[in-house]
Amino acid sequence: NEGFNKYLSRLHIGDTMIVYSLYNLGRTTKQLTVMASHIYRHGLYFVSLDDDIDTRTHDGNYLLQTLNRLQEVNQFITPISTPFRKSFR
């Protein structure tokens, strides 16, 4: 999304991104983990009003770190699993 990427480019380390719901960040788990990884790697904070998530707190930061780790694992697994899945078609 071009508008969202433009918004992200204006944020700096320590800034807080506020959205109404996680659904605004991504409609799939993959989209959500990619966005969370981006937020984590760029030193941003994240608040989801509807989901009661605030990464400025210990619990919220833990959730963000967990989503970031899921993205790292997904990046590792995807290249390995793709040829395997194609062999069964």
Side-chain angles (χ1 to χ4, degrees), residues 3 8 15-16 20 22 26 51 53 60 67 72-73 76 81 89:
L8 283 176
D15 285 351
T16 302
Y20 178 73
L22 286 177
D51 303 297
I53 297 171
L67 290 172
E72 290 173 355
V73 168
F76 175 74
S81 64
R89 289 184 182 171

Side-chain angles (χ1 to χ4, degrees), residues 42-77:
H42 287 85
L44 303 172
Y45 295 107
F46 170 76
V47 174
S48 173
L49 301 174
D50 192 45
D51 303 297
D52 197 28
I53 297 171
D54 185 344
T55 62
R56 297 172 296 182
T57 66
H58 177 73
D59 290 343
N61 188 42
Y62 181 76
L63 174 64
L64 186 61
Q65 289 179 25
T66 301
L67 290 172
N68 181 57
R69 296 287 186 255
L70 286 172
Q71 175 57 22
E72 290 173 355
V73 168
N74 187 47
Q75 287 178 342
F76 175 74
I77 291 174

Side-chain angles (χ1 to χ4, degrees), residues 30 74 77-89:
K30 182 176 181 177
N74 187 47
I77 291 174
T78 302
I80 293 171
S81 64
T82 302
F84 180 74
R85 281 189 264 167
K86 287 181 181 178
S87 67
F88 284 101
R89 289 184 182 171

Side-chain angles (χ1 to χ4, degrees), residues 8-36:
L8 283 176
S9 70
R10 294 180 178 172
L11 297 175
H12 304 287
I13 293 174
D15 285 351
T16 302
M17 177 193 312
I18 300 174
V19 297
Y20 178 73
S21 170
L22 286 177
Y23 188 73
N24 296 101
L25 276 187
R27 287 167 173 64
T28 66
T29 303
K30 182 176 181 177
Q31 290 173 339
L32 184 59
T33 58
V34 167
M35 187 56 60

